[in-house]
mmCIF file of all heavy atoms in Angstrom:
data_model
loop_
_atom_site.group_PDB
_atom_site.id
_atom_site.type_symbol
_atom_site.label_atom_id
_atom_site.label_comp_id
_atom_site.label_asym_id
_atom_site.label_seq_id
_atom_site.Cartn_x
_atom_site.Cartn_y
_atom_site.Cartn_z
ATOM 1 N N ILE J 1 39.670 16.303 -10.714
ATOM 2 C CA ILE J 1 38.518 16.550 -9.838
ATOM 3 C C ILE J 1 38.004 17.955 -10.106
ATOM 4 O O ILE J 1 38.777 18.915 -10.129
ATOM 5 C CB ILE J 1 38.927 16.435 -8.347
ATOM 6 C CG1 ILE J 1 39.624 15.103 -8.076
ATOM 7 C CG2 ILE J 1 37.725 16.616 -7.436
ATOM 8 C CD1 ILE J 1 40.360 15.062 -6.736
ATOM 9 N N ASP J 2 36.691 18.079 -10.305
ATOM 10 C CA ASP J 2 36.130 19.404 -10.570
ATOM 11 C C ASP J 2 34.662 19.431 -10.151
ATOM 12 O O ASP J 2 34.003 18.383 -10.081
ATOM 13 C CB ASP J 2 36.257 19.745 -12.057
ATOM 14 C CG ASP J 2 36.177 21.245 -12.320
ATOM 15 O OD1 ASP J 2 35.047 21.757 -12.444
ATOM 16 O OD2 ASP J 2 37.233 21.884 -12.389
ATOM 17 N N SER J 3 34.177 20.636 -9.892
ATOM 18 C CA SER J 3 32.770 20.783 -9.512
ATOM 19 C C SER J 3 31.925 21.330 -10.656
ATOM 20 O O SER J 3 30.718 21.522 -10.493
ATOM 21 C CB SER J 3 32.648 21.706 -8.292
ATOM 22 O OG SER J 3 33.252 22.953 -8.551
ATOM 23 N N PHE J 4 32.554 21.599 -11.812
ATOM 24 C CA PHE J 4 31.831 22.131 -12.969
ATOM 25 C C PHE J 4 32.073 21.323 -14.241
ATOM 26 O O PHE J 4 31.140 20.981 -14.956
ATOM 27 C CB PHE J 4 32.222 23.598 -13.215
ATOM 28 C CG PHE J 4 31.890 24.523 -12.083
ATOM 29 C CD1 PHE J 4 32.869 24.943 -11.194
ATOM 30 C CD2 PHE J 4 30.586 24.961 -11.902
ATOM 31 C CE1 PHE J 4 32.557 25.790 -10.151
ATOM 32 C CE2 PHE J 4 30.255 25.809 -10.860
ATOM 33 C CZ PHE J 4 31.251 26.232 -9.971
ATOM 34 N N ASP J 5 33.335 21.022 -14.526
ATOM 35 C CA ASP J 5 33.683 20.356 -15.777
ATOM 36 C C ASP J 5 33.294 18.871 -15.728
ATOM 37 O O ASP J 5 33.859 18.093 -14.962
ATOM 38 C CB ASP J 5 35.184 20.493 -16.039
ATOM 39 C CG ASP J 5 35.568 20.118 -17.461
ATOM 40 O OD1 ASP J 5 34.986 19.151 -17.998
ATOM 41 O OD2 ASP J 5 36.445 20.780 -18.032
ATOM 42 N N LYS J 6 32.352 18.489 -16.550
ATOM 43 C CA LYS J 6 31.844 17.120 -16.539
ATOM 44 C C LYS J 6 32.812 16.119 -17.161
ATOM 45 O O LYS J 6 32.598 14.903 -17.065
ATOM 46 C CB LYS J 6 30.497 17.071 -17.263
ATOM 47 C CG LYS J 6 29.400 17.847 -16.539
ATOM 48 C CD LYS J 6 28.072 17.762 -17.278
ATOM 49 C CE LYS J 6 26.989 18.530 -16.528
ATOM 50 N NZ LYS J 6 25.677 18.474 -17.227
ATOM 51 N N THR J 7 33.880 16.634 -17.805
ATOM 52 C CA THR J 7 34.872 15.711 -18.380
ATOM 53 C C THR J 7 35.913 15.284 -17.349
ATOM 54 O O THR J 7 36.752 14.424 -17.639
ATOM 55 C CB THR J 7 35.592 16.354 -19.585
ATOM 56 O OG1 THR J 7 36.381 17.472 -19.139
ATOM 57 C CG2 THR J 7 34.596 16.833 -20.628
ATOM 58 N N ALA J 8 35.882 15.871 -16.159
ATOM 59 C CA ALA J 8 36.816 15.476 -15.105
ATOM 60 C C ALA J 8 36.512 14.046 -14.664
ATOM 61 O O ALA J 8 35.385 13.556 -14.799
ATOM 62 C CB ALA J 8 36.716 16.427 -13.914
ATOM 63 N N ASP J 9 37.506 13.378 -14.110
ATOM 64 C CA ASP J 9 37.325 11.991 -13.666
ATOM 65 C C ASP J 9 36.349 11.881 -12.500
ATOM 66 O O ASP J 9 35.608 10.905 -12.388
ATOM 67 C CB ASP J 9 38.677 11.388 -13.256
ATOM 68 C CG ASP J 9 39.649 11.292 -14.414
ATOM 69 O OD1 ASP J 9 39.231 10.842 -15.505
ATOM 70 O OD2 ASP J 9 40.821 11.676 -14.248
ATOM 71 N N PHE J 10 36.378 12.895 -11.623
ATOM 72 C CA PHE J 10 35.523 12.871 -10.444
ATOM 73 C C PHE J 10 34.824 14.211 -10.259
ATOM 74 O O PHE J 10 35.412 15.259 -10.496
ATOM 75 C CB PHE J 10 36.335 12.561 -9.180
ATOM 76 C CG PHE J 10 37.000 11.212 -9.189
ATOM 77 C CD1 PHE J 10 38.320 11.078 -9.601
ATOM 78 C CD2 PHE J 10 36.302 10.074 -8.798
ATOM 79 C CE1 PHE J 10 38.939 9.838 -9.612
ATOM 80 C CE2 PHE J 10 36.920 8.834 -8.811
ATOM 81 C CZ PHE J 10 38.233 8.712 -9.215
ATOM 82 N N PHE J 11 33.580 14.158 -9.788
ATOM 83 C CA PHE J 11 32.830 15.365 -9.428
ATOM 84 C C PHE J 11 32.915 15.542 -7.921
ATOM 85 O O PHE J 11 32.734 14.586 -7.163
ATOM 86 C CB PHE J 11 31.365 15.237 -9.859
ATOM 87 C CG PHE J 11 30.499 16.371 -9.380
ATOM 88 C CD1 PHE J 11 30.475 17.576 -10.065
ATOM 89 C CD2 PHE J 11 29.729 16.232 -8.237
ATOM 90 C CE1 PHE J 11 29.678 18.628 -9.625
ATOM 91 C CE2 PHE J 11 28.932 17.290 -7.780
ATOM 92 C CZ PHE J 11 28.906 18.475 -8.485
ATOM 93 N N ALA J 12 33.183 16.757 -7.481
ATOM 94 C CA ALA J 12 33.245 17.053 -6.047
ATOM 95 C C ALA J 12 32.473 18.334 -5.784
ATOM 96 O O ALA J 12 32.824 19.392 -6.304
ATOM 97 C CB ALA J 12 34.687 17.191 -5.587
ATOM 98 N N GLU J 13 31.437 18.233 -5.012
ATOM 99 C CA GLU J 13 30.559 19.382 -4.774
ATOM 100 C C GLU J 13 31.152 20.372 -3.777
ATOM 101 O O GLU J 13 30.904 21.568 -3.843
ATOM 102 C CB GLU J 13 29.198 18.894 -4.273
ATOM 103 C CG GLU J 13 28.138 19.979 -4.217
ATOM 104 C CD GLU J 13 26.767 19.424 -3.912
ATOM 105 O OE1 GLU J 13 26.612 18.185 -3.861
ATOM 106 O OE2 GLU J 13 25.839 20.234 -3.733
ATOM 107 N N ASN J 14 31.965 19.881 -2.831
ATOM 108 C CA ASN J 14 32.543 20.739 -1.802
ATOM 109 C C ASN J 14 33.921 20.217 -1.409
ATOM 110 O O ASN J 14 34.389 19.197 -1.929
ATOM 111 C CB ASN J 14 31.621 20.817 -0.581
ATOM 112 C CG ASN J 14 31.232 19.436 -0.071
ATOM 113 O OD1 ASN J 14 32.086 18.567 0.112
ATOM 114 N ND2 ASN J 14 29.945 19.219 0.152
ATOM 115 N N SER J 15 34.572 20.917 -0.486
ATOM 116 C CA SER J 15 35.942 20.572 -0.094
ATOM 117 C C SER J 15 36.037 19.206 0.582
ATOM 118 O O SER J 15 37.032 18.490 0.410
ATOM 119 C CB SER J 15 36.513 21.659 0.827
ATOM 120 O OG SER J 15 36.606 22.888 0.139
ATOM 121 N N ALA J 16 35.010 18.848 1.336
ATOM 122 C CA ALA J 16 35.009 17.518 1.973
ATOM 123 C C ALA J 16 34.995 16.424 0.908
ATOM 124 O O ALA J 16 35.709 15.413 1.027
ATOM 125 C CB ALA J 16 33.808 17.383 2.905
ATOM 126 N N ASP J 17 34.202 16.633 -0.151
ATOM 127 C CA ASP J 17 34.169 15.668 -1.254
ATOM 128 C C ASP J 17 35.529 15.596 -1.945
ATOM 129 O O ASP J 17 35.990 14.516 -2.326
ATOM 130 C CB ASP J 17 33.109 16.071 -2.283
ATOM 131 C CG ASP J 17 31.693 15.853 -1.770
ATOM 132 O OD1 ASP J 17 31.523 15.139 -0.771
ATOM 133 O OD2 ASP J 17 30.760 16.411 -2.388
ATOM 134 N N VAL J 18 36.166 16.773 -2.131
ATOM 135 C CA VAL J 18 37.487 16.828 -2.769
ATOM 136 C C VAL J 18 38.481 15.976 -1.988
ATOM 137 O O VAL J 18 39.192 15.133 -2.555
ATOM 138 C CB VAL J 18 37.997 18.280 -2.874
ATOM 139 C CG1 VAL J 18 39.470 18.297 -3.279
ATOM 140 C CG2 VAL J 18 37.177 19.072 -3.881
ATOM 141 N N ALA J 19 38.535 16.186 -0.670
ATOM 142 C CA ALA J 19 39.483 15.444 0.169
ATOM 143 C C ALA J 19 39.200 13.943 0.132
ATOM 144 O O ALA J 19 40.129 13.127 0.097
ATOM 145 C CB ALA J 19 39.417 15.957 1.604
ATOM 146 N N LYS J 20 37.920 13.573 0.117
ATOM 147 C CA LYS J 20 37.543 12.159 0.066
ATOM 148 C C LYS J 20 38.036 11.514 -1.226
ATOM 149 O O LYS J 20 38.608 10.419 -1.209
ATOM 150 C CB LYS J 20 36.027 12.035 0.172
ATOM 151 C CG LYS J 20 35.533 10.592 0.188
ATOM 152 C CD LYS J 20 34.011 10.540 0.307
ATOM 153 C CE LYS J 20 33.525 9.092 0.284
ATOM 154 N NZ LYS J 20 32.038 9.022 0.338
ATOM 155 N N VAL J 21 37.842 12.230 -2.354
ATOM 156 C CA VAL J 21 38.280 11.697 -3.647
ATOM 157 C C VAL J 21 39.799 11.603 -3.700
ATOM 158 O O VAL J 21 40.356 10.608 -4.168
ATOM 159 C CB VAL J 21 37.757 12.570 -4.803
ATOM 160 C CG1 VAL J 21 38.378 12.141 -6.125
ATOM 161 C CG2 VAL J 21 36.243 12.496 -4.881
ATOM 162 N N VAL J 22 40.487 12.659 -3.226
ATOM 163 C CA VAL J 22 41.954 12.673 -3.231
ATOM 164 C C VAL J 22 42.504 11.454 -2.492
ATOM 165 O O VAL J 22 43.433 10.784 -2.953
ATOM 166 C CB VAL J 22 42.494 13.977 -2.603
ATOM 167 C CG1 VAL J 22 43.996 13.870 -2.320
ATOM 168 C CG2 VAL J 22 42.224 15.165 -3.514
ATOM 169 N N LYS J 23 41.896 11.156 -1.350
ATOM 170 C CA LYS J 23 42.358 10.026 -0.542
ATOM 171 C C LYS J 23 42.020 8.692 -1.196
ATOM 172 O O LYS J 23 42.864 7.788 -1.275
ATOM 173 C CB LYS J 23 41.728 10.106 0.853
ATOM 174 C CG LYS J 23 42.370 9.182 1.870
ATOM 175 C CD LYS J 23 41.869 9.482 3.269
ATOM 176 C CE LYS J 23 42.567 8.590 4.292
ATOM 177 N NZ LYS J 23 42.118 8.893 5.671
ATOM 178 N N GLU J 24 40.793 8.581 -1.713
ATOM 179 C CA GLU J 24 40.336 7.306 -2.269
ATOM 180 C C GLU J 24 41.027 6.942 -3.583
ATOM 181 O O GLU J 24 41.147 5.765 -3.913
ATOM 182 C CB GLU J 24 38.817 7.335 -2.470
ATOM 183 C CG GLU J 24 38.048 7.296 -1.158
ATOM 184 C CD GLU J 24 36.537 7.317 -1.357
ATOM 185 O OE1 GLU J 24 36.088 7.534 -2.510
ATOM 186 O OE2 GLU J 24 35.818 7.140 -0.356
ATOM 187 N N CYS J 25 41.500 7.962 -4.323
ATOM 188 C CA CYS J 25 42.157 7.649 -5.598
ATOM 189 C C CYS J 25 43.643 7.320 -5.414
ATOM 190 O O CYS J 25 44.362 7.092 -6.387
ATOM 191 C CB CYS J 25 41.961 8.775 -6.611
ATOM 192 S SG CYS J 25 42.915 10.268 -6.305
ATOM 193 N N GLY J 26 44.098 7.321 -4.160
ATOM 194 C CA GLY J 26 45.466 6.898 -3.863
ATOM 195 C C GLY J 26 46.538 7.870 -4.307
ATOM 196 O O GLY J 26 47.660 7.460 -4.640
ATOM 197 N N ALA J 27 46.219 9.157 -4.283
ATOM 198 C CA ALA J 27 47.163 10.174 -4.757
ATOM 199 C C ALA J 27 48.389 10.279 -3.849
ATOM 200 O O ALA J 27 48.289 10.182 -2.623
ATOM 201 C CB ALA J 27 46.464 11.529 -4.836
ATOM 202 N N ASP J 28 49.542 10.482 -4.487
ATOM 203 C CA ASP J 28 50.770 10.785 -3.748
ATOM 204 C C ASP J 28 50.878 12.280 -3.486
ATOM 205 O O ASP J 28 51.468 12.706 -2.487
ATOM 206 C CB ASP J 28 51.995 10.331 -4.552
ATOM 207 C CG ASP J 28 52.016 8.839 -4.784
ATOM 208 O OD1 ASP J 28 51.924 8.094 -3.785
ATOM 209 O OD2 ASP J 28 52.119 8.419 -5.947
ATOM 210 N N ILE J 29 50.333 13.067 -4.433
ATOM 211 C CA ILE J 29 50.375 14.525 -4.368
ATOM 212 C C ILE J 29 49.048 15.060 -4.903
ATOM 213 O O ILE J 29 48.490 14.520 -5.866
ATOM 214 C CB ILE J 29 51.519 15.098 -5.251
ATOM 215 C CG1 ILE J 29 52.888 14.731 -4.688
ATOM 216 C CG2 ILE J 29 51.394 16.610 -5.420
ATOM 217 C CD1 ILE J 29 53.356 15.573 -3.522
ATOM 218 N N ALA J 30 48.553 16.145 -4.301
ATOM 219 C CA ALA J 30 47.381 16.837 -4.831
ATOM 220 C C ALA J 30 47.814 18.220 -5.319
ATOM 221 O O ALA J 30 48.632 18.877 -4.677
ATOM 222 C CB ALA J 30 46.305 16.972 -3.760
ATOM 223 N N ILE J 31 47.288 18.624 -6.464
ATOM 224 C CA ILE J 31 47.574 19.948 -7.019
ATOM 225 C C ILE J 31 46.276 20.723 -7.096
ATOM 226 O O ILE J 31 45.283 20.238 -7.657
ATOM 227 C CB ILE J 31 48.200 19.862 -8.429
ATOM 228 C CG1 ILE J 31 49.476 19.025 -8.403
ATOM 229 C CG2 ILE J 31 48.480 21.245 -8.978
ATOM 230 C CD1 ILE J 31 50.107 18.822 -9.790
ATOM 231 N N ASP J 32 46.256 21.943 -6.537
ATOM 232 C CA ASP J 32 45.050 22.775 -6.518
ATOM 233 C C ASP J 32 45.230 24.005 -7.398
ATOM 234 O O ASP J 32 46.062 24.858 -7.126
ATOM 235 C CB ASP J 32 44.738 23.195 -5.077
ATOM 236 C CG ASP J 32 43.419 23.952 -4.951
ATOM 237 O OD1 ASP J 32 43.255 24.978 -5.630
ATOM 238 O OD2 ASP J 32 42.560 23.520 -4.169
ATOM 239 N N PHE J 33 44.443 24.083 -8.470
ATOM 240 C CA PHE J 33 44.315 25.290 -9.276
ATOM 241 C C PHE J 33 42.812 25.561 -9.383
ATOM 242 O O PHE J 33 42.187 25.299 -10.410
ATOM 243 C CB PHE J 33 44.921 25.109 -10.672
ATOM 244 C CG PHE J 33 46.387 25.440 -10.756
ATOM 245 C CD1 PHE J 33 47.340 24.534 -10.319
ATOM 246 C CD2 PHE J 33 46.821 26.651 -11.265
ATOM 247 C CE1 PHE J 33 48.689 24.816 -10.393
ATOM 248 C CE2 PHE J 33 48.172 26.955 -11.332
ATOM 249 C CZ PHE J 33 49.106 26.032 -10.901
ATOM 250 N N THR J 34 42.230 26.069 -8.291
ATOM 251 C CA THR J 34 40.781 26.261 -8.258
ATOM 252 C C THR J 34 40.430 27.745 -8.184
ATOM 253 O O THR J 34 40.598 28.467 -9.155
ATOM 254 C CB THR J 34 40.160 25.487 -7.081
ATOM 255 O OG1 THR J 34 40.812 25.862 -5.839
ATOM 256 C CG2 THR J 34 40.310 23.986 -7.277
ATOM 257 N N HIS J 35 39.958 28.197 -7.035
ATOM 258 C CA HIS J 35 39.443 29.565 -6.896
ATOM 259 C C HIS J 35 39.757 30.055 -5.486
ATOM 260 O O HIS J 35 39.733 29.263 -4.531
ATOM 261 C CB HIS J 35 37.934 29.590 -7.136
ATOM 262 C CG HIS J 35 37.358 30.960 -7.287
ATOM 263 N ND1 HIS J 35 37.013 31.752 -6.206
ATOM 264 C CD2 HIS J 35 37.091 31.696 -8.394
ATOM 265 C CE1 HIS J 35 36.546 32.905 -6.642
ATOM 266 N NE2 HIS J 35 36.584 32.901 -7.964
ATOM 267 N N PRO J 36 40.038 31.364 -5.336
ATOM 268 C CA PRO J 36 40.342 31.885 -4.000
ATOM 269 C C PRO J 36 39.255 31.599 -2.967
ATOM 270 O O PRO J 36 39.551 31.453 -1.774
ATOM 271 C CB PRO J 36 40.477 33.392 -4.237
ATOM 272 C CG PRO J 36 40.893 33.519 -5.658
ATOM 273 C CD PRO J 36 40.200 32.397 -6.385
ATOM 274 N N LYS J 37 37.997 31.481 -3.392
ATOM 275 C CA LYS J 37 36.900 31.252 -2.453
ATOM 276 C C LYS J 37 36.889 29.826 -1.913
ATOM 277 O O LYS J 37 36.289 29.571 -0.857
ATOM 278 C CB LYS J 37 35.559 31.558 -3.129
ATOM 279 C CG LYS J 37 35.335 33.043 -3.423
ATOM 280 C CD LYS J 37 33.966 33.275 -4.036
ATOM 281 C CE LYS J 37 33.729 34.762 -4.297
ATOM 282 N NZ LYS J 37 32.404 35.013 -4.911
ATOM 283 N N SER J 38 37.526 28.912 -2.621
ATOM 284 C CA SER J 38 37.484 27.504 -2.197
ATOM 285 C C SER J 38 38.830 26.958 -1.720
ATOM 286 O O SER J 38 38.878 25.920 -1.063
ATOM 287 C CB SER J 38 36.976 26.630 -3.346
ATOM 288 O OG SER J 38 37.813 26.744 -4.474
ATOM 289 N N VAL J 39 39.926 27.644 -2.033
ATOM 290 C CA VAL J 39 41.244 27.048 -1.791
ATOM 291 C C VAL J 39 41.538 26.850 -0.308
ATOM 292 O O VAL J 39 42.125 25.827 0.075
ATOM 293 C CB VAL J 39 42.357 27.881 -2.476
ATOM 294 C CG1 VAL J 39 42.495 29.265 -1.858
ATOM 295 C CG2 VAL J 39 43.683 27.130 -2.425
ATOM 296 N N ILE J 40 41.131 27.775 0.554
ATOM 297 C CA ILE J 40 41.398 27.608 1.991
ATOM 298 C C ILE J 40 40.637 26.398 2.534
ATOM 299 O O ILE J 40 41.187 25.584 3.298
ATOM 300 C CB ILE J 40 41.027 28.884 2.777
ATOM 301 C CG1 ILE J 40 41.948 30.045 2.389
ATOM 302 C CG2 ILE J 40 41.105 28.624 4.283
ATOM 303 C CD1 ILE J 40 43.386 29.885 2.821
ATOM 304 N N ASP J 41 39.369 26.259 2.154
ATOM 305 C CA ASP J 41 38.593 25.095 2.598
ATOM 306 C C ASP J 41 39.198 23.806 2.065
ATOM 307 O O ASP J 41 39.200 22.781 2.759
ATOM 308 C CB ASP J 41 37.141 25.233 2.128
ATOM 309 C CG ASP J 41 36.360 26.270 2.928
ATOM 310 O OD1 ASP J 41 36.791 26.596 4.052
ATOM 311 O OD2 ASP J 41 35.330 26.748 2.426
ATOM 312 N N ASN J 42 39.722 23.862 0.838
ATOM 313 C CA ASN J 42 40.391 22.672 0.286
ATOM 314 C C ASN J 42 41.617 22.308 1.113
ATOM 315 O O ASN J 42 41.854 21.130 1.407
ATOM 316 C CB ASN J 42 40.800 22.916 -1.167
ATOM 317 C CG ASN J 42 39.627 22.892 -2.127
ATOM 318 O OD1 ASN J 42 38.531 22.486 -1.765
ATOM 319 N ND2 ASN J 42 39.858 23.339 -3.353
ATOM 320 N N MET J 43 42.402 23.318 1.491
ATOM 321 C CA MET J 43 43.576 23.069 2.325
ATOM 322 C C MET J 43 43.171 22.440 3.656
ATOM 323 O O MET J 43 43.787 21.465 4.114
ATOM 324 C CB MET J 43 44.329 24.373 2.589
ATOM 325 C CG MET J 43 45.025 24.970 1.394
ATOM 326 S SD MET J 43 45.933 26.450 1.914
ATOM 327 C CE MET J 43 46.204 27.252 0.343
ATOM 328 N N LYS J 44 42.130 23.002 4.280
ATOM 329 C CA LYS J 44 41.678 22.505 5.577
ATOM 330 C C LYS J 44 41.196 21.063 5.488
ATOM 331 O O LYS J 44 41.312 20.301 6.460
ATOM 332 C CB LYS J 44 40.555 23.397 6.111
ATOM 333 C CG LYS J 44 41.015 24.777 6.562
ATOM 334 C CD LYS J 44 39.845 25.599 7.079
ATOM 335 C CE LYS J 44 40.302 26.953 7.585
ATOM 336 N NZ LYS J 44 39.156 27.768 8.072
#
């Protein structure tokens, strides 16, 4: 999942989109290596 790299499986514009994709793809675990400006919102 990425908001810039077009080769990613899913595009997510914001943290709400990220969470929606994480849930819909049936993930057991999510791994975040993004940016300090977005990581807290991703956690929330």
Side-chain angles (χ1 to χ4, degrees):
I1 307 165
D2 201 275
S3 56
F4 298 101
D5 193 322
K6 294 181 179 180
T7 66
D9 296 314
F10 298 95
F11 173 81
E13 190 172 354
N14 52 49
S15 296
D17 288 345
V18 169
K20 182 180 178 182
V21 172
V22 167
K23 193 170 183 178
E24 289 180 351
C25 73
D28 298 306
I29 292 281
I31 303 176
D32 186 304
F33 272 79
T34 54
H35 192 277
K37 291 182 179 179
S38 59
V39 66
I40 294 292
D41 286 340
N42 286 348
M43 291 183 198
K44 289 180 178 179

